[in-house]
Amino acid sequence: MAAAKKDFSIQQRVCEPIVNRGLESLRRIHFFRALKEPCLKMIAAKLQVCFLAPEEVLAREGEKVDKLWFMGKGTADAVVQGQKVHTYLSRSVIGPPMALLMDQNWTQTVTTTSFSDFMVLTRHDLHIFLTHHESEASKVHAAAFHSQIKLELSGRAP
């Protein structure tokens, strides 16, 4: 019994910083702010951690967006039709958050320019979560699409 308790304590100390980083990342997305912390923690548990070397491609212009990249540390460049248009720095969110809820294509090619670490949320993983948590799904959709409509009405939609 004591060994099991000790193993859980070690596991908790190892996982807690990762989950906290995931929570911090998710809170940067406006429609996730509608969720309470226990639900955010369940989504944070779905985040995949990955490390990329310089010159690895995260996204290609024109391809379907199927994940959102939360950069921890690192840098990446965005290129549109061969022209550099943006540099992503540490703590950036790469990808349109609304693509997690509706079909969108990448409008840029994104390539790392340094060793970089990411937490990645796939559209598939979010969809499974929302399918199993209908009341939370309505909160996310209401927050996401309400703000999208406001942007469109103000003429600032992407």
Side-chain angles (χ1 to χ4, degrees), residues 117-143:
D117 70 272
F118 296 91
M119 295 189 97
V120 181
L121 179 61
T122 68
R123 185 175 180 187
H124 175 76
D125 285 343
L126 180 62
H127 176 75
I128 289 171
F129 172 82
L130 295 176
T131 300
H132 290 95
H133 300 87
E134 290 181 21
S135 65
E136 302 307 317
S138 11
K139 291 176 190 173
V140 167
H141 285 97

Side-chain angles (χ1 to χ4, degrees), residues 14-33:
V14 170
C15 293
E16 194 170 334
I18 296 169
V19 171
N20 287 340
R21 180 175 159 203
L23 289 171
E24 177 188 322
S25 296
L26 292 172
R27 286 185 184 116
R28 287 188 246 159
I29 307 303
H30 69 281
F31 52 79
F32 286 136
R33 292 185 207 130

Side-chain angles (χ1 to χ4, degrees), residues 82-117:
Q83 297 288 345
K84 179 179 162 185
V85 295
H86 185 72
T87 297
Y88 291 102
L89 304 174
S90 297
R91 297 182 36 82
S92 292
V93 177
I94 301 174
M98 289 297 289
L100 293 174
L101 303 173
M102 55 192 268
D103 288 339
Q104 290 187 357
N105 291 334
W106 285 100
T107 58
Q108 55 195 11
T109 296
V110 182
T111 306
T112 55
T113 55
S114 67
F115 288 98
S116 305
D117 70 272

